[in-house]
Amino acid sequence: MTSQEIHFDCRRHAERGVLEVVPCIDRTPLTNLIDQFEMDAGMQPAGDAYGGLVPQFFRFGLMEDHFHGRSTGAMGPKTPVLGCECGEWGCWPLMAGITVTSDRVTWDSFEQPHRRTRDYSGFGPFHFDRHQYDDAVKALSAAVSSYGT
């Protein structure tokens, strides 16, 4: 099974000036990947609907817990991996199942909970080497801590 590489892009939200976290898979922002998937599938609305997660707007807890699927049951068993382009994850989230084993982390079962009829079965799954994934989450955690959220 092929593994993808993940890193988390921490940047200032263009309009709000707060830290925004965007997962990148094989160097491509997840926002770009999901936009392309939704546009190719003819979903409406699609394109520029998603943004990164803003830790300052919602207390995700430890990034290690959040990106291991353990931080919030706010919307069921899935974890928000993207939020709305406005910065609020509850507005227009991309949810994923996150499964962690001793050697692999998998993101799958994507959904947009405000459009339950959308079919995301062709999006993902994304498989990550556990060590590389954990290193990326540790780097994210350090970035979030140094930002002061």
Side-chain angles (χ1 to χ4, degrees):
M1 183 179 314
T2 304
S3 288
Q4 284 86 27
E5 185 173 310
I6 192 164
H7 79 273
F8 296 92
D9 183 16
C10 296
R11 57 187 176 210
R12 185 174 299 277
H13 188 278
E15 295 172 16
R16 305 204 189 274
V18 294
L19 178 72
E20 176 182 31
V21 175
V22 177
C24 296
I25 299 172
D26 292 336
R27 298 189 179 118
T28 303
L30 186 59
T31 49
N32 294 8
L33 294 171
I34 193 62
D35 283 352
Q36 191 64 55
F37 177 83
E38 289 182 348
M39 288 186 292
D40 289 350
M43 296 177 183
Q44 291 296 324
D48 296 324
Y50 295 98
L53 299 176
V54 179
Q56 187 174 342
F57 290 177
F58 185 81
R59 299 291 176 216
F60 291 100
L62 298 174
M63 291 291 102
E64 289 87 347
D65 286 344
H66 182 78
F67 284 105
H68 284 91
R70 299 186 304 250
S71 74
T72 174
M75 295 189 78
K78 294 188 180 175
T79 300
V81 292
L82 290 176
C84 180
E85 54 82 28
C86 76
E88 175 58 49
W89 78 266
C91 180
W92 193 256
L94 180 65
M95 307 295 287
I98 299 177
T99 305
V100 179
T101 67
S102 61
D103 62 344
R104 183 172 301 282
V105 176
T106 301
W107 289 10
D108 62 7
S109 304
F110 290 90
E111 71 177 32
Q112 169 38 260
H114 301 307
R115 299 288 190 271
R116 296 239 181 243
T117 59
R118 289 185 173 192
D119 180 7
Y120 289 91
S121 60
F123 188 68
F126 300 108
H127 303 282
F128 311 104
D129 172 80
R130 173 73 187 266
H131 298 292
Q132 189 275 318
Y133 187 92
D134 286 348
D135 287 347
V137 172
K138 284 178 190 169
L140 168 63
S141 212
V144 168
S145 292
S146 70
Y147 195 82
T149 57

